[in-house]
Amino acid sequence: MPEMYFRIHWPDGATERCYSPSLVIKDHFEVGRRYSLDDFLDRSRIALRIASDRVQAKYGAPCSRALGQLARIEKQGAQFATIRDARVVIEAFEE
């Protein structure tokens, strides 16, 4: 499966390189676009679960790295939940 990384910019200015075992991330995000925190988290859940399901269909087990990345994104996102109009920017895709 073609794995990829996507780089995000959190509301506090920190950047993070995130993993996906599938290019499905590109179906849910656009480079340069600013997403509300809730929208970003929802899209991340959908995309990374689809990616994990694709791994499971091919190899018989879900992708622990994708699910771990999702857990990390949700944990980081929780830090910004009280910030009004918190935004996450997709900076780049790395294939």
Side-chain angles (χ1 to χ4, degrees):
M1 296 192 78
E3 66 181 10
M4 67 172 292
Y5 291 87
F6 55 107
R7 202 169 54 245
I8 61 174
H9 185 95
W10 288 106
D12 66 354
T15 60
E16 184 170 350
R17 187 175 187 237
C18 301
Y19 172 79
S20 173
S22 167
L23 301 179
V24 72
I25 294 297
K26 290 177 147 187
D27 295 339
H28 296 273
F29 292 112
E30 181 181 325
V31 171
R33 186 162 169 199
R34 294 169 44 97
Y35 295 89
S36 71
L37 180 63
D38 289 341
D39 188 26
F40 172 74
L41 293 174
D42 287 343
R43 288 170 182 264
S44 295
R45 287 181 194 110
I46 292 167
L48 288 168
R49 286 182 182 143
I50 290 170
S52 179
D53 290 348
R54 288 181 179 180
V55 170
Q56 184 168 11
K58 186 168 184 173
Y59 298 106
C63 181
S64 60
R65 279 186 73 190
L67 298 176
Q69 181 63 72
L70 177 56
R72 168 114 175 105
I73 286 171
E74 289 181 329
K75 182 179 178 182
Q76 288 296 104
Q79 295 180 28
F80 308 111
T82 60
I83 297 174
R84 184 179 176 171
D85 200 33
R87 300 277 174 181
V88 179
V89 179
I90 305 301
E91 291 187 337
F93 295 136
E94 303 170 12
E95 293 180 51

